[in-house]
Amino acid sequence: MSYTVDFENVSTVGLDSSPVAKALAGLRANEARYFRNKYGHVFTVSPAQEEPEALEWVNDILAKERDIVISSRPLEVTSFEVDGIKMAYVFYESGLSINVMYGLEDGAKRAVGFKLSEGMEVPEELVSRFKFARQNSKLAGVIRGSFFVIKGEY
């Protein structure tokens, strides 16, 4: 069952099994606010098992681009197209959020972003590969993030 993320009344719906559920809910709400303000897009997520294509697409890009396999259980996913960009998000039980921004035009920007919820450790699969910058969020506290540019076609 899908859930429309409310960034005014942050809820842990769908994320309760995470040890950092409150921070992950804030991170998810932060993303929802960004897409509402920038694109007028309503950010709706589904349980990972209900949208396997989005999860497979993200996993395929991670594996082929950087030989990364995330060990944490995916809780929620979303995928949508906005302003010529295909987007996908996966929110993991560990507190990790991964997003894929894939410009549909030739030569458009394409990248994978990682965001760590406040209170979680850097996942083993990412710790030696990326440096994480900090940013403050009213909804999510301190978010640590990193990214890489996608080189292949997906």
Side-chain angles (χ1 to χ4, degrees):
M1 186 167 151
S2 65
Y3 169 71
T4 300
V5 180
D6 183 349
F7 54 85
E8 293 178 2
N9 299 299
V10 179
S11 169
T12 60
V13 167
L15 306 174
D16 292 317
S17 66
S18 173
V20 292
K22 190 172 181 181
L24 183 56
L27 179 57
R28 181 179 66 181
N30 187 66
E31 300 302 311
R33 181 179 58 194
Y34 172 80
F35 281 98
R36 169 73 95 185
N37 291 343
K38 181 154 176 114
Y39 300 106
H41 175 77
V42 177
F43 200 85
T44 303
V45 294
S46 299
Q49 66 273 16
E50 290 182 14
E51 213 175 313
E53 306 83 21
L55 181 59
E56 288 171 20
W57 188 60
V58 171
N59 287 341
D60 189 47
I61 292 170
L62 291 172
K64 289 180 178 170
E65 292 283 325
R66 296 292 178 103
D67 197 29
I68 295 172
V69 176
I70 302 299
S71 62
S72 182
R73 182 169 71 101
L75 297 177
E76 293 184 331
V77 299
T78 186
S79 63
F80 53 91
E81 190 177 314
V82 63
D83 203 27
I85 303 167
K86 181 177 178 180
M87 296 292 307
Y89 275 81
V90 182
F91 296 93
Y92 294 89
E93 194 168 43
S94 65
L96 173 67
S97 169
I98 296 179
N99 69 74
V100 173
M101 176 189 81
Y102 194 85
L104 298 173
E105 296 282 323
D106 285 341
K109 292 180 181 178
R110 298 173 177 169
V112 173
F114 302 98
K115 291 187 179 174
L116 309 177
S117 296
E118 189 168 30
M120 73 170 287
E121 296 296 320
V122 178
E124 184 70 31
E125 14 339 30
L126 307 177
V127 74
S128 65
R129 299 173 179 229
F130 299 97
K131 301 255 188 246
F132 288 84
R134 295 181 185 275
Q135 71 181 62
N136 291 318
S137 163
K138 288 181 183 177
L139 293 171
V142 176
I143 300 170
R144 291 166 292 157
S146 192
F147 75 98
F148 70 83
V149 174
I150 297 171
K151 296 186 182 347
E153 299 284 324
Y154 301 92

